[in-house]
Amino acid sequence: MQSINLQLASYSDLFMLIAALVYAAAFIVFAIDMATSSKTIRILEAELAAESGASGDASAAAQRREQLVGAGVVGQEPAAGSSATVTGRGGTGEKTGAGNTDQNLVDEDMAYLGTTRRPAANVAVALMVISVLLHAFAVIARGVSANRVPWGNMYEFCTTGALLVAAVYLLFLIRKDLRFLGTFVSGLVVVMMCAATMGFPTPIAHLQPALQSPWIVIHVSVAVLASALFGLTCAMSVLQLLQHRREARLRTGGEGKPAFMRLVPSAFSLENWSYRINAVGFVMWTFTLIAGAIWAEAAWGRYWGWDTKEVWTFVIWVVYAGYLHARATRGWTGDRAAWLSIIGFACLVFNFTIVNTYFPGLHSYAGIPE
Amino acid sequence: MSQEDNLRATRAEEAQSGGKNRQREDRRDVAVPALGFKDSLRFAWRQLTSMRTALMLLLLLAVAAVPGSLFPQRPAGPEIVNQYLEDNPVQGEWLDRFQMFDVYSSVWFSAIYILLFVSLIGCVLPRAAKHAKDLRSAPPRTPRRLNRLPEYGKVVLESTGPSPRDAVAEAARILKKRGYRTDIREEPDGGASVGAERGYVREIGNIFFHLSLIGVLAFMAVGGLLSYSGQKIIVEGEGFANTLVAYDSFTPGSAFSEDRLEPFSMTLDGFEAVFDRESETHYGQPLDFTAHMTVQEGTDGEATQQDLKVNHPFDIGGTRVYLVGNGYAPEVTVRDGNGDIAFQGPVVAQVQDQLYTSLMVIKAPDAQPEQLGFVGFFLPTAYTGEDGVAVSIDPELYEPELNLNSYYGDLGLDDGEPQNVYVLDTDNLTELNNRDLESGGITLSPGESYDLPEGKGSISFDGVQRYVGLDIHHDPGKWGVGFFAVLALVSLGVSLFVRRRRVWVRSATGPDGSTMVEYGLLARGEDFGLREENVSLRRQFEKAWPVVAPEDDPDNRQTASSTAGTTGATENRPE
Ligand code: HEM
């Protein structure tokens, strides 16, 4: 077995710390963006007003307003069809209601609108990019120094997972304006990095024989990627719940606090997007489950043995299957689906932290030194 | 927004036409009329096969699986369960009553998943039947008002353009190329229209996915019947033949019979372990285990030498052999009070930790006049600290040492009850050697021997062998499980990512004599790309026909403006 490059490994450790610090900075700046959002919104509104005054119909602002009117028309029509249109989402009036009382500052498809100028958020995104680069170097260096994939113990799962959460988020940012998720995502990444570097720091080492299999590459990488997606959707589901409450308050003439939520798309749009991402995550998780079973067959001779880790992987799978079903069940869309998405991610975190460390089982590869 | 419209429109549409299920669901919630027996049955069946019940059962299944990770499970290790029952007698008994130690074969867990699968069959089969009919029938009739659909567009052609009928034919060609099934019809008011639908495999994917789950379950059951698994420990130089008596422990499936055992035999020629000697933090961590074996297939096959490694099992005619453990087997000779050899050979020592501190139990029931027993530790690299206690400091054989206590008396083996070979029952034994006794403990290095007090006999430490722990499994059901699991994965992808949508295109002669084409799109189920499809279709139509720029056309406003967010650039050409 090739020796470990300790020099490179120590660089990896160092860059991991630096990346964590830069993430923390990004988190702070995102938080500032959130805290000052009422100011941002005032500026934006002034701009919108000026624009629509200046250039009439063709302006973006007017178009957006028109869009809302359009939504109203299209939305109301099917209501004539039958009672079955009621989907537990508060009926057709909701979206229009929210739109009318609360001017739309974000696009429902989460596309970038040229008008939105948010300097703090942009700085934070730039910081995220820098830290992802540093972080990627650290993770790759870790793998290269030991000549293997960098996910052999909890420290490594966690740092690789954090990298994927941040990278997937940045990839989405290229096409979609998900800056409203920044505080959540960078916060999650900071927590993961702290957990890894402080909770279960593990010096570099070779893999034990049980982990020396090509399946570690396939099974774990997809699992970590799926977890990253579920992490994103969990954040979106939390926002969806908040936004839903806020929309309900607005409809009854209440206040639209907190101001930050005005920079977040509607609950409905959040729900659709988290559904799309969860669907991808679910397919990946299904793959993880099957690949894990194949690996278990190759390593232990049985593809499924209800080992604690297997139990929880199954529980997570069933919860997200429930989530997908909920989306097709009357009365279960909206808030309840969001809760299922949140519970699913909570189970995932539980599976990773508590099950790995406190539950005895065959999968005891946490690698935490005593 | 497009998504919202889709969903609503789809649901509205389904409620009106095909979606009997949902409608039924609605009615059911409204009133539960007084029912006769047959009707009650039908009512119960509908309840069971409803989406809501499926969802409840799914969530229940998730919750029900959890206790299996909280309490030790019998199939995984009955010893741990017994230990738990001993430690928690009251609570343990109650838990046992509720089958908390056999969760996955318990009545309640089985009830949940059987109900779930019955519900699944009741749900999927009617869907499959309906879809089979859909597959054979033409796309649905063209709605009267296309502009009510969630996506709508209209183009007016120059006077040089094709006639309405030709335009519709052309539109049908375009749609066909995009994977739609098309059907051209005459319209009552003179024009023509085409109904088109694509993505039929979405529903097929959904049905296959659910049926595959049944396949997985069915073949797991087949495995439960026909499989067997067993454990065997082999010391270097020893052999194993695949017969029932040769196993240390054996778990047969319910329909197992001994003639199902694949005939083969194997011998452990040697075992090698590599430990990390470079790392400071992980010094002594295992890196590689190799068992050198001689394997003979059948009863008179050719013997071949093969290496068995972790993660790389042998496959002998569908029976798989796994390297799951290894350790040391010190060789000892025990002589009794008469000076006769009462026991000789390697003793498998149970590994206790990463440093291969190993628990030794030696029983010499043939010893005369008193039976002899020994308990203690084998240490591959012994180090005696200041407190006088020897510990192992390395997994490799650098300084092997035996530390034993000895006993004489009745080992309890004569009454025929099976005993755990790794446990010495000291109830009817008298201690001879112990660190705390005057005689002290027995400490032996290889080649040394020790005379027991009171002339009870002697023990010598002759050398050390290695052993491997093998798991031997045969499960013919696993191929079916694997096949259906992969089928489930593939059809899940199809079901979630293929888009099922309908398009209708209608063409008529406008008031000024030019040809007018309008079209509408409808998604069935979740479809987030309907607007993009609208835009692509429009682009194709504009390429195919000389289209009049739709200035100030009021019908176009809605589509154009609502596209501003994503696709404004392509859509809003006139502006
Ligand atoms: C073993 C239990 C089940 C599991 C793990 C499961 C899983 C899933 C998953 C992952 C989906 C989403 C993917 C797709 O659309 O194909 C789905 C969809 C669906 N399932 Fe199930 N299912 C189960 C049982 C059932 C049962 C009992 C029913 C009927 C009562 C049912 C009816 C449906 C329907 C109608 C959809 C399509 C939903 C839609 O229109 O979006 N499933 N199921």
Side-chain angles (χ1 to χ4, degrees):
Chain A
M1 206 166 277
Q2 218 166 331
S3 319
I4 288 176
N5 184 340
L6 290 173
Q7 179 79 33
L8 191 57
S10 68
Y11 277 126
S12 165
D13 291 349
L14 178 67
F15 274 74
M16 211 67 92
L17 286 177
I18 299 175
L21 288 176
V22 184
Y23 281 127
F27 171 70
I28 292 168
V29 182
F30 269 127
I32 290 173
D33 172 62
M34 203 163 129
T36 59
S37 54
S38 50
K39 207 175 101 199
T40 317
I41 290 165
R42 245 180 286 122
I43 296 171
L44 272 172
E45 278 173 347
E47 278 173 10
L48 283 176
E51 252 179 75
S52 57
S55 54
D57 255 16
S59 86
Q63 263 186 10
R64 267 200 302 283
R65 214 159 288 134
E66 208 171 288
Q67 179 183 358
L68 291 172
V69 177
V73 173
V74 177
Q76 273 150 17
E77 273 185 349
S82 99
S83 60
T85 25
V86 180
T87 58
R89 193 168 280 125
T92 41
E94 179 188 325
K95 172 66 198 49
T96 334
N100 286 343
T101 39
D102 189 21
Q103 206 174 24
N104 230 22
L105 299 177
V106 287
D107 182 75
E108 289 301 282
D109 278 336
M110 304 186 191
Y112 283 100
L113 301 173
T115 49
T116 328
R117 228 165 285 131
R118 289 163 66 186
N122 293 349
V123 170
V125 171
L127 284 173
M128 280 286 273
V129 172
I130 294 170
S131 49
V132 162
L133 292 176
L134 295 168
H135 190 173
F137 170 80
V139 167
I140 293 169
R142 176 97 176 179
V144 170
S145 65
N147 288 301
R148 60 175 175 80
V149 287
W151 45 79
N153 52 51
M154 277 188 58
Y155 168 84
E156 293 172 6
F157 300 141
C158 208
T159 50
T160 305
L163 176 65
L164 281 177
V165 171
V168 166
Y169 173 64
L170 288 184
L171 281 180
F172 272 110
L173 267 184
I174 295 175
R175 295 288 305 277
K176 297 284 166 187
D177 186 1
L178 293 184
R179 284 175 294 181
F180 64 88
L181 269 185
T183 325
F184 289 85
V185 173
S186 54
L188 178 65
V189 171
V190 170
V191 168
M192 288 173 83
M193 293 296 272
C194 288
T197 50
M198 287 162 7
F200 12 84
T202 312
I204 188 131
H206 292 295
L207 289 180
Q208 45 176 308
L211 290 182
Q212 294 168 13
S213 161
W215 286 105
I216 193 177
V217 182
I218 303 162
H219 168 69
V220 184
S221 58
V222 177
V224 175
L225 192 57
S227 311
L229 293 179
F230 287 144
L232 283 181
T233 55
C234 173
M236 291 168 83
S237 299
V238 171
L239 283 177
Q240 180 196 329
L241 291 176
L242 295 175
Q243 190 71 298
H244 186 95
R245 308 262 131 92
R246 182 172 158 276
E247 283 166 5
R249 278 200 302 277
L250 277 176
R251 252 202 318 280
T252 54
E255 272 190 76
K257 299 258 178 190
F260 164 72
M261 293 306 288
R262 297 189 59 187
L263 293 177
V264 175
S266 72
F268 191 81
S269 163
L270 283 168
E271 183 185 346
N272 278 331
W273 275 93
S274 43
Y275 169 76
R276 295 175 75 170
I277 301 173
N278 269 339
V280 177
F282 182 76
V283 172
M284 287 183 169
W285 196 256
T286 309
F287 178 87
T288 304
L289 200 95
I290 295 173
I294 297 175
W295 188 6
E297 201 279 332
W300 303 315
R302 88 287 184 291
Y303 53 86
W304 197 262
W306 295 110
D307 187 63
T308 46
K309 198 82 196 183
E310 291 167 354
V311 171
W312 279 92
T313 304
F314 173 77
V315 168
I316 293 162
W317 187 78
V318 175
V319 169
Y320 280 104
Y323 168 87
L324 293 181
H325 270 214
R327 288 271 310 182
T329 306
R330 204 164 51 86
W332 274 81
T333 49
D335 272 11
R336 290 185 181 176
W339 275 113
L340 283 179
S341 162
I342 294 167
I343 291 171
F345 188 66
C347 290
L348 206 110
V349 171
F350 182 82
N351 188 23
F352 180 70
T353 53
I354 309 296
V355 175
N356 266 351
T357 43
Y358 293 108
F359 286 36
L362 282 173
H363 289 75
S364 302
Y365 304 127
I368 307 166
E370 272 106 83
Chain B
M1 264 194 345
S2 58
Q3 301 112 32
E4 183 180 12
D5 303 341
N6 283 350
L7 272 170
R8 290 217 187 100
T10 313
R11 279 171 185 154
E13 191 238 13
E14 289 200 355
Q16 283 165 336
S17 58
K20 297 231 175 53
N21 281 333
R22 286 205 174 96
Q23 220 174 19
R24 213 197 282 148
E25 222 174 321
D26 282 333
R27 230 184 288 142
R28 182 171 353 98
D29 283 357
V30 176
V32 183
L35 298 170
F37 178 69
K38 229 169 132 187
D39 286 337
S40 315
L41 270 187
R42 192 171 303 145
F43 174 76
W45 176 249
R46 275 199 214 138
Q47 284 290 337
L48 181 62
T49 57
S50 78
M51 273 309 263
R52 187 177 307 253
T53 309
L55 177 57
M56 286 305 143
L57 287 171
L58 268 175
L59 297 182
L60 208 57
L61 185 70
V63 174
V66 171
S69 72
L70 302 178
F71 306 111
Q73 297 296 299
R74 285 217 171 81
E79 324 79 45
I80 314 174
V81 176
N82 292 338
Q83 189 62 45
Y84 187 96
L85 284 171
E86 237 169 71
D87 297 347
N88 311 281
V90 180
Q91 184 195 349
E93 194 188 318
W94 275 101
L95 288 172
D96 206 12
R97 209 161 286 168
F98 289 105
Q99 299 176 296
M100 285 297 175
F101 305 115
D102 302 279
V103 167
Y104 304 105
S105 53
S106 67
V107 174
W108 43 276
F109 191 80
S110 312
I112 294 172
Y113 77 76
I114 289 172
L115 273 179
L116 184 56
F117 275 87
V118 171
S119 164
L120 189 156
I121 293 169
C123 178
V124 169
L125 288 187
R127 282 179 67 133
K130 176 169 184 305
H131 194 60
K133 222 169 80 199
D134 277 3
L135 277 176
R136 274 180 274 116
S137 46
R141 63 175 183 81
T142 314
R144 227 155 20 87
R145 295 177 57 184
L146 289 177
N147 59 1
R148 284 196 164 194
L149 294 172
E151 287 294 324
Y152 168 76
K154 177 175 162 187
V155 288
V156 180
L157 308 191
E158 309 255 12
S159 51
T160 58
S163 71
R165 207 154 291 195
D166 291 346
V168 161
E170 177 71 29
R173 245 190 317 279
I174 290 173
L175 285 167
K176 215 173 223 154
K177 234 193 237 149
R178 296 178 72 81
Y180 286 85
R181 172 190 296 186
T182 58
D183 182 44
I184 296 177
R185 323 75 212 235
E186 302 279 325
E187 290 278 305
D189 52 0
S193 77
V194 55
E197 177 157 358
R198 57 155 294 163
Y200 290 89
V201 288
R202 181 187 177 97
E203 183 73 1
I204 296 179
N206 184 296
I207 291 162
F208 265 73
F209 168 75
H210 286 90
L211 293 180
S212 302
L213 296 180
I214 300 177
V216 168
L217 197 72
F219 275 93
M220 285 174 92
V222 169
L225 286 178
L226 300 181
S227 69
Y228 66 82
S229 66
Q231 274 96 39
K232 176 66 183 174
I233 285 176
I234 313 183
V235 179
E236 280 172 322
E238 287 184 355
F240 164 84
N242 194 22
T243 53
L244 262 189
V245 288
Y247 282 93
D248 296 335
S249 70
F250 191 81
T251 317
S254 352
F256 172 81
S257 70
E258 191 169 354
D259 53 289
R260 294 187 50 84
L261 287 176
E262 177 79 21
F264 68 89
S265 58
M266 52 196 179
T267 314
L268 179 65
D269 301 327
F271 179 80
E272 264 176 80
V274 179
F275 298 97
D276 196 338
R277 295 301 172 201
E278 283 184 345
S279 170
E280 284 171 24
T281 51
H282 290 74
Y283 188 83
Q285 176 194 295
L287 293 184
D288 192 38
F289 298 132
T290 312
H292 304 294
M293 319 269 300
T294 302
V295 181
Q296 186 187 22
E297 289 194 38
T299 41
D300 49 0
E302 201 184 326
T304 53
Q305 284 175 343
Q306 296 177 33
D307 285 350
L308 182 62
K309 282 176 171 284
V310 181
N311 270 315
H312 299 279
F314 285 163
D315 194 315
I316 306 166
T319 300
R320 307 249 272 173
V321 181
Y322 298 81
L323 178 60
V324 293
N326 66 81
Y328 293 106
E331 297 175 286
V332 295
T333 303
V334 177
R335 287 173 189 275
D336 62 16
N338 302 338
D340 297 326
I341 291 179
F343 176 88
Q344 187 165 40
V347 180
V348 170
Q350 281 187 305
V351 177
Q352 306 292 306
D353 57 22
Q354 285 264 323
L355 296 164
Y356 281 66
T357 306
S358 308
L359 187 64
M360 287 273 289
V361 171
I362 306 167
K363 298 180 189 180
D366 299 335
Q368 297 292 337
E370 312 261 19
Q371 296 184 332
L372 295 174
F374 301 83
V375 183
F377 285 100
F378 167 73
L379 310 171
T381 300
Y383 171 79
T384 308
E386 274 166 22
D387 53 359
V389 177
V391 292
S392 177
I393 54 168
D394 197 277
E396 213 132 19
L397 286 180
Y398 290 131
E399 196 63 51
E401 190 177 283
L402 276 178
N403 284 272
L404 299 173
N405 296 340
S406 66
Y407 299 84
Y408 72 93
D410 180 9
L411 291 174
L413 287 170
D414 301 334
D415 56 9
E417 263 191 48
Q419 256 197 9
N420 188 336
V421 291
Y422 300 110
V423 178
L424 188 69
D425 178 6
T426 56
D427 284 354
N428 299 316
L429 296 175
T430 312
E431 241 173 9
L432 268 176
N433 286 95
N434 187 316
R435 252 162 57 86
D436 305 327
L437 296 179
E438 204 184 315
S439 54
I442 305 171
T443 306
L444 292 174
S445 294
E448 291 181 345
S449 82
Y450 174 84
D451 289 327
L452 298 173
E454 304 170 31
K456 298 284 184 197
S458 71
I459 178 167
S460 64
F461 182 11
D462 308 327
V464 183
Q465 298 272 25
R466 308 197 68 141
Y467 71 83
V468 295
L470 302 179
D471 273 9
I472 295 151
H473 292 270
H474 174 69
D475 180 357
K478 73 183 176 191
W479 298 109
V481 173
F483 172 79
F484 280 108
V486 171
L487 185 62
L489 180 67
V490 173
S491 43
L492 178 68
V494 169
S495 164
L496 285 174
F497 303 128
V498 167
R499 281 139 175 195
R500 181 150 187 215
R501 43 177 76 134
R502 291 175 177 166
V503 176
W504 293 274
V505 182
R506 172 186 288 124
S507 184
T509 312
D512 58 348
S514 58
T515 300
M516 243 172 38
V517 179
E518 53 172 357
Y519 60 98
L521 291 84
L522 178 69
R524 306 207 58 202
E526 313 269 3
D527 181 351
F528 302 94
L530 203 61
R531 173 138 310 156
E532 280 78 3
E533 182 72 358
N534 181 351
V535 173
S536 312
L537 274 182
R538 189 184 188 83
R539 233 180 286 146
Q540 298 234 335
F541 293 157
E542 287 174 356
K543 227 171 33 199
W545 306 312
V547 172
V548 177
E551 229 133 8
D552 303 327
D553 183 347
D555 280 341
N556 245 342
R557 191 207 59 195
Q558 187 186 306
T559 322
S561 64
S562 55
T563 318
T566 36
T567 46
T570 46
E571 180 70 3
N572 289 342
R573 279 203 331 179
E575 285 170 9

